[in-house]
Amino acid sequence: MVDDVSVSLAEGTLTGILGPNGSGKTTLLRLLSGTRRPSSGRVRLGDRPLDELSRREVAQHIAVVPQETQLAFEYSAIEIVLMGRHPHLGLFTVEGPADLRIARDAMASTGTSALADRPFDQLSGGEKQRVVIAAALAQSARLLLLDEPTASLDLGYQLEVSALLKTLNRDHGVTMAISTHDLNLAASICRELILMRGGRVIAAGPTHDVLTPENVRRLYDVEADVHVHEDTGHITVVPVRRLHP
Amino acid sequence: MALSEKVLNTKDTKDTKNNYLNTSAAKRGLAFGRKHVLAFRKVFFVPFVSFVLFLGATTQPEPHRIVSLVPALTEMLFAIGAGPQVVGVSSYDKFPTDVQSLPRVGALLDPDTERILSLKPDLVITYGSQVDLQTQLQRASIATFDYRHGGLDHILVTLRQLGRRTGRMKEAETVATGIEARINAIKSRVAGKPRPRTLLVFSRDPRALRNIYVSGGSGFLHDMLVTAGGQDVFGDVKRESVQATTETILARSPDVILEIRPDDIPAGKELDEEMATWARLASVPAVRNKRVYFITGQQMTVPGPRVVEGIERMVRALHPPAVK
Amino acid sequence: MNVRKRITIVVLANAAFTLAVLLVAPTVGSTPIALSRVFDQSMPWESNVDAQIFFVARLPRVLSGALVGAALAAAGVVLQAMLRNPLATPFTLGVSAGGALGAMIAIALGLDVGVLGVTSVPIASFIGSLVAIAIVYGLATSQKRGLSTNVLLLAGVTLNSFFSALILFVQFIADFTQAFRAVRWLMGDLDVGSYSPIVAALPFLVCAFAVFAILPRTLNLLTLGEDVAAARGVEVVTAHRWAFFSASLATGAAVSLGGPIGFVGIIVPHLVRLMVGSDHRVVLPAAALFGAAFTVLCDLVARTIIAPLELPVGIITALIGGPFFLWLLVKKS
């Protein structure tokens, strides 16, 4: 549930939506992607309200990467990526050479080109996420919404995927919003943060300004040290003690 | 032989019985007894058993309260004069009209044991396959007469058996010989005539050529057809009931089609529609020569004393000029 | 990886196979016939036994087998995609149970109504299927969440149990011959004996297949999950509705034509996926074509193997289906 929230995502930004479970992160993401309608207020893409667009049109601009993808049937990685072209294809249109090229480019940018013909189910966790990100990129969407992209991944794959996201945002200009409960992931790759608790936004702004011990306490009831590395500006959050509200 | 060897060879020492049998006198005695019992059995077995059965048959008391689950046997009972003794009939009994006022006790699949017992019968006529019911009645010391389905001959055998069982052998014999005489008369009537290849249809979906069940080469309806001077077109299949298809009927091209409708015959518009349905099989001689007949009546489905009437109806259809 | 070429090749190959089966099947049977006599125009119709066997007995049978097989296989594919479950069959959502109840009632009551050359049992069966469809849809639709596939599945399974109980009850109160006819109907029977039932079922099948033609890519996306599909631009609720109604209509029409022939709706989709992958743009047409051929071949075996007697076609598909599933199970583990 989300209550009285007002957020905006500027183009080209990489925003993290941070908060404990049940804070309304996923709901916010659903509202942003148009799969849920707000009971009051509006969601706008640029200056167009989302509810005026058809599902297809929304999908042409906004892509969603879910936390996990489970297939009921066997598909190869390239088939999954090609399905991302759906919003751009007519009813009876079959993917053409242009679509194929876009799909292959997307796979190249996520480093998954070699996996194209392999069955999706046989890929590792990290590889699967990267293929799904490629599928979202193949949608030629301006905005990518990722729901806990590294939550179910091992540390190594977490690093892999977060590095990928950072690169995509920095080098390819893809606007992203990532919902996560991992403070350090948010700290390392997000330049903007939205902190949520109990369905409300308790803070929003550039990471350096927002990620303070005070806010961490308000968010998680945890006393933490927030270190800013002198040279790189890299932020690390180290939890110290649990506080009881 | 094996048993005595085993006993004599046992090594048990704690068993005094074995010790006794181990003495040579016992051995000789045992051997003597065995030889003569075997001889006795061989010579006297058949007469002995027959005597016991005979005793049993004649010493079975005449039943005064009969419950019949088999409509054919109900008809037989009434035909041989045992009608007044019938106190309960099956759900499907319709003839003679006397049975309409009698209590119903179920049928082949759902006999109502409680109801049967409440009528206090001393003889219950059951189907041979109703084993559970028979066991229950045996436990209640009620005699049963178990009927098994069979061909035309079996009807007469059953009639005579029933006569014996109810102490009406004379009446049963009269009825049976009467039926036999009529059957023989029919046989001689149709003797020299050509036997039309006949499809005898038991049931079929109304207005369609689906779920067609016909007579095969066995069973009392098949026998009736043969007696009536017909040739069963599915006679090579040794089953009572065969599911025929459009292809098999076309292939076997019957000269006559007889459809049995126990309750009523289609008439008017319905008859036209049924004829039109058969007309789809245009190459079948029965259709071309308009020899499709509907035969009605319980006589066709109840293998009882009225079976001759059924045969006569078939004769009328198969050999029209033969019966006036 | 040219999708268009792949679709074309696979569909053409299947079509060729199916066409071959459809051409050969009416010429084979328990009675030998000569094609020259079948097409001999000089012989009058009334005396041409071979022609009658071909055109009255076998051809309608082959055509209904093909239609039933195509409908059940395609419906199976669609439902498996919609429910995201490879074990779903056209009978999972209660449509065939409704059809069976309708047929049982017609048999038990001895109904005898004919419309346009179609008799009461097929009509009652189709009405029963429509009732089942309405009930399941009604249960699974809500204002808030549109059409929920989970509730759809539960409603279908519940309806199956409920209708099965009713069917048992109807069989119990029916008499012996009626109960036998009812049981026999459940085993499937393609010997339609005329073209009227086929013509009567055709409009419904054509409508269903028209929808099948536009579903495939949507089905691909639906198998990824509702949220993902929605995010990729699929109107999920609308897609579910189209899938549900078309698959159920096809199943209802097929069941009314030939009875509930089992296993076709699950063996054929699986076999086709094994051969061509999971892209529904290939799987759906291939399954429809292969389903037609499969059913006609099973019926061919059913009507020749113990000639002059016949086995119900549902027995043959079950005999193939059982071992097939064992094999699938072994393969997966």
Side-chain angles (χ1 to χ4, degrees), chain C residues 186-226:
Chain C
L186 288 171
M187 300 187 206
D189 179 18
L190 291 168
D191 185 23
V192 287
S194 85
Y195 294 94
S196 317
I198 299 176
V199 169
L202 213 49
F204 303 106
L205 291 172
V206 166
C207 286
F209 273 92
V211 177
F212 289 165
I214 61 174
L215 276 179
R217 207 172 62 224
T218 312
L219 291 176
N220 282 345
L221 282 144
L222 282 177
T223 62
L224 300 183
E226 281 181 31

Side-chain angles (χ1 to χ4, degrees), chain B residues 205 207 210 246-247 282-283, chain C residues 46 52 58 181 189 191:
Chain B
D205 276 5
R207 276 178 251 257
R210 300 185 77 166
T246 46
E247 176 164 344
S283 68
Chain C
E46 290 81 34
Q52 295 208 354
R58 290 192 192 159
R181 260 180 81 193
D189 179 18
D191 185 23

Side-chain angles (χ1 to χ4, degrees), chain A residues 105-117:
Chain A
D105 286 348
M107 291 190 89
S109 61
T110 59
T112 51
S113 298
L115 309 170
D117 295 315

Side-chain angles (χ1 to χ4, degrees), chain C residues 23 44 47-48 108 114 125 143 149 198 227 259:
Chain C
L23 287 176
S47 25
N48 197 340
S125 160
Q143 282 283 24
T149 47
I198 299 176
D227 284 337

Side-chain angles (χ1 to χ4, degrees), chain B residues 70-75 90-97 99-100 104 127 149 155 220-221 224 259-265 294-311 313-314, chain C residues 175 177:
Chain B
V70 186
L73 272 65
T74 312
E75 289 193 26
S90 81
S91 336
Y92 295 104
D93 272 87
K94 291 195 175 99
F95 187 87
T97 44
V99 305
Q100 283 169 9
R104 308 271 164 164
Y127 287 93
H149 201 63
I155 298 177
F220 82 96
L221 275 161
M224 284 167 73
E259 273 207 69
I260 298 179
R261 297 282 178 110
D263 297 317
D264 52 41
I265 297 188
F294 292 88
I295 302 189
T296 187
Q298 291 285 316
Q299 300 84 334
M300 308 305 297
T301 54
V302 176
R306 294 184 295 156
V307 76
V308 186
E309 292 169 37
I311 302 178
R313 288 185 194 190
M314 283 188 187
Chain C
D175 72 36
T177 9

Side-chain angles (χ1 to χ4, degrees), chain B residues 248-323:
Chain B
T248 46
I249 297 177
L250 282 169
R252 287 166 187 249
S253 356
D255 301 314
V256 176
I257 294 178
L258 291 180
E259 273 207 69
I260 298 179
R261 297 282 178 110
D263 297 317
D264 52 41
I265 297 188
K269 187 160 101 70
E270 200 193 328
L271 182 61
D272 293 336
E273 282 172 0
E274 296 289 14
M275 290 305 196
T277 308
W278 280 114
R280 279 189 235 146
L281 305 180
S283 68
V284 169
V287 169
R288 274 190 306 194
N289 304 325
K290 305 216 185 318
R291 296 197 69 190
V292 177
Y293 306 101
F294 292 88
I295 302 189
T296 187
Q298 291 285 316
Q299 300 84 334
M300 308 305 297
T301 54
V302 176
R306 294 184 295 156
V307 76
V308 186
E309 292 169 37
I311 302 178
E312 277 170 359
R313 288 185 194 190
M314 283 188 187
V315 174
R316 270 203 290 276
L318 293 173
H319 307 277
V323 181

